[in-house]
Amino acid sequence: MKTSFKSAAFVLALGMGVGIAPTWAQPEPPVQATVSTTEKVSINQASAQELASAMSGIGLKKAQAIVEWREQYGAFSSVDELSDVPGIGHSLVERNIDRITL
């Protein structure tokens, strides 16, 4: 019985030495909360601050450009029209397509 205990201890020590630990010795991964992305921000109604916080790759400066464009030219008639704003390209619109609405 001492031999099997020593063998088990040796295998455990060897495994831990190369970064392998038995399942029971590994910590459980942390539980992450899921964030709902169902709420969209309206590019025709949101403030610059709301746009900046809701959209990926849009800081306050670009968000202010969106609001200024909207004030100068009127409401956006399509989401794709957002790329007409200086500094906002098609790839940025595509990246945020699930976050924005008219």
Side-chain angles (χ1 to χ4, degrees), residues 39-74:
E39 290 188 39
K40 294 184 176 191
V41 64
S42 169
I43 59 175
N44 284 328
Q45 297 175 357
S47 67
Q49 185 65 37
E50 291 169 326
L51 291 168
S53 63
M55 296 175 68
S56 172
I58 301 287
L60 194 52
K61 187 174 180 180
K62 286 185 182 179
Q64 287 171 337
I66 293 170
V67 172
E68 289 170 7
W69 191 96
R70 183 177 72 204
E71 289 172 350
Q72 184 174 358
Y73 298 103

Side-chain angles (χ1 to χ4, degrees), residues 12 16 21-28:
L12 181 61
M16 295 185 93
T23 306
W24 53 266
Q26 295 177 358
E28 291 185 27

